[in-house]
Amino acid sequence: MLATWKYRPRDTFIQSLDPRTRLIFLFCVIFGLSIPQIWDYRIIVPIFALSLTLYFIARIEWIDVRRAWIFIIVLVIFIVGLNALLSGRGGPPSVLQTQSPTLFEVQFYIPGTKLGFTVPITIIKLWFAIVQITRMLTMAILVIPIPYTMDPNIYGVAFRRMGVSDKISFAMDLAFRFLPTFARDFATTVDAQRARGYELETLKGGIAAKLRRLAPLIIPVVMQATVTGEDVIDAMDLRAFDTNKRTWIKELHYSSRDQIMLGLGVSIFVACCLLKWVFGIGGFFVPRFFFALFGY
Amino acid sequence: MTNKSIWVFGTRQVVFGAMGAAIYGVLSWTTQFLQLPAAGNVSFRPAVAVLVFFGIAYGPWVGLLAGVIGNTLGDALSGWGFFWNWSLGNGLMGLISGLAMPMINDFRARADLIKGITWGTIGIALGMIFASLTEIFVGGINLNTAVVGYFLPAFLGNFIVILVLLPILMTAFAGVAARRGR
């Protein structure tokens, strides 16, 4: 059975946009932050505010996105944020190469022994963690609404009308459609294995042992996918897929609001590139007010 | 799979490319809590074994599609954004692993398991070299960071993953394929 995203038609500005506009806008923001490596809060915060506004006007019910949000918050704040705070990794090299006052030290020692190490938490690492969290949320906030607000029937045609080949468009369409199915299968497998006494939270042992213990979760999902794949191939062959030039029933048209959003997206991308590569603005730095906050 | 022509791109490749991408995306997303020690943007991905497996079982196009689309989906779902060079590196990983497809006759046989691991290792080495070295231009890092901070942890992590999980996947697949008769 094919599970679907919790898509629901709503009378909102977001859902009135052409799917290509939304995808291109998303790519513009992601590319704008990723390609020129923008780490400057003065650029990130306005884009974050824009993403947040678009998210709220999508009017997605909290009950639908609650799990996605919990996951994103746990990942971004507790895993990525703590990783950035403790190690300073995952961003520009200047985070680790620049000297900065230490706020406090975290001790990682085996109790009763002198085995372990001390991690200094510096102002630069703290600021980097905040910027990293904001930057990731900016992109995540734009991605989260897509499954809930974009009709799964138009993924393929949207990519096709963006100039991608029929086969690749169909592969993208299928990948998007099967994503929630496999996510559900994975969750079901985890539940089924737990019912048999599998303890996911206590994956003990070294890396190899941990990996081996993940096999009962991964193998059923992958093997089920190979079986499902054969059925999908049969169904597509019966419908003469790949025998002649393909047509798509759904027509897509840009409206004036699409052009405005596309203009905004392209402007963000171009502005990020120009600011970084022409004017040298957009790199990582710690603002003075943040130092002042801690009395430096 | 009886037809060993690895460069055919038809319905089979489209479907399994999409399936591989969706599974790789989902598993990358759900298992990313395992962060590689000493690696910058690199997370420890048990899902890499699935990507290599799809390449070996269904050929280089499937591996390429699964790697490029799957990594993009996984990163997008996690909020990492889009890193074209890492997505392409993952695609290379799947594509090169897929070159082993015509050499594998019995997914349970020890010799074929070794071939799978060998090609998978070549795939992850070249894929991660590509991604790490392009990070010099994309991320502004130096060669030392690219090799020591990115390539080595990513390669070693992925190597351990395929060493442990790929034989299990291939052996399980042998049973499924035998039952399906394809």
Side-chain angles (χ1 to χ4, degrees), chain B residues 39-123:
Chain B
N41 279 322
V42 186
S43 60
F44 193 59
R45 281 187 169 176
V48 163
V50 176
L51 170 62
V52 171
F53 164 74
F54 267 84
I56 289 170
Y58 301 109
W61 288 128
V62 171
L64 178 71
L65 278 179
V68 173
I69 304 175
N71 188 68
T72 307
L73 287 174
D75 280 354
L77 284 170
S78 317
W80 282 108
F82 178 71
F83 295 92
W84 64 268
N85 54 330
W86 287 95
S87 289
L88 213 54
N90 276 267
L92 271 177
M93 226 160 34
L95 184 137
I96 293 162
S97 305
L99 297 177
M101 190 188 77
M103 301 169 212
I104 310 273
N105 295 310
D106 180 0
F107 280 81
R108 237 187 299 245
R110 182 185 290 253
D112 285 351
L113 291 177
I114 293 170
K115 279 181 204 164
I117 292 171
T118 307
W119 279 93
T121 306
I122 297 169

Side-chain angles (χ1 to χ4, degrees), chain A residues 5 27 30-31 34-37 39 68 71-72 75-76 79-80 83 89-93 97 132 135-137 139-140 143 165 167-168 170-176 178-180 182-183 186 200 203 207-212 214-215 217-219 221-223 225-234 236-237 241-242, chain B residues 9-23 25-27 29-35 37-41 44-47 50 53-54 58 65 69 72-73 76-84 135 137-142 145 149-150 157 160-162 164-165 168-170 172-174 176 180 182:
Chain A
W5 300 107
F27 290 141
I30 290 176
F31 287 161
S34 305
I35 294 175
Q37 288 289 306
W39 292 96
F71 183 84
I72 294 284
L75 172 79
V76 172
I79 297 177
V80 176
N83 185 44
R89 293 178 190 279
Q97 289 163 0
Q132 173 75 301
R135 195 170 180 267
M136 287 185 78
L137 280 177
M139 295 186 257
V143 176
S165 78
K167 284 180 183 171
I168 304 290
F170 213 85
M172 299 284 278
D173 187 290
L174 277 177
F176 271 100
F178 274 103
L179 206 63
F182 293 139
F186 187 77
L200 182 66
L203 282 175
I207 288 174
K210 280 181 183 169
L211 283 171
R212 213 171 294 120
L214 282 175
L217 304 179
I218 293 174
I219 304 295
V221 181
V222 176
M223 293 307 122
T226 63
V227 175
T228 308
E230 297 288 357
D231 294 339
V232 174
I233 291 167
D234 287 344
M236 285 168 65
D237 283 343
F241 181 81
D242 195 28
Chain B
F9 189 60
T11 315
R12 194 171 187 80
Q13 286 67 34
V14 168
V15 171
F16 280 114
M19 294 271 177
I23 292 188
V26 165
L27 293 180
W29 180 44
T30 49
T31 56
Q32 64 189 306
F33 53 86
L34 298 161
Q35 284 274 333
N41 279 322
F44 193 59
R45 281 187 169 176
V50 176
F53 164 74
F54 267 84
Y58 301 109
L65 278 179
I69 304 175
T72 307
L73 287 174
L77 284 170
S78 317
W80 282 108
F82 178 71
F83 295 92
W84 64 268
E135 196 66 29
F137 311 104
V138 176
I141 59 172
N142 55 34
T145 311
Y150 285 78
I160 294 168
V161 164
I162 64 161
V164 175
L165 287 177
I168 303 174
L169 278 163
M170 286 176 69
F173 180 66
V176 174
R180 297 284 299 186
R182 298 191 186 194

Side-chain angles (χ1 to χ4, degrees), chain A residues 110-152:
Chain A
I110 299 169
T113 70
K114 288 184 178 177
L115 290 172
F117 52 93
T118 303
V119 178
I121 304 298
T122 60
I123 289 182
I124 201 166
K125 279 187 191 172
L126 181 60
W127 180 252
F128 168 62
I130 293 168
V131 173
Q132 173 75 301
I133 288 169
T134 315
R135 195 170 180 267
M136 287 185 78
L137 280 177
T138 303
M139 295 186 257
I141 285 170
L142 284 176
V143 176
I144 288 174
I146 286 183
Y148 304 93
T149 56
M150 196 186 284
D151 186 349

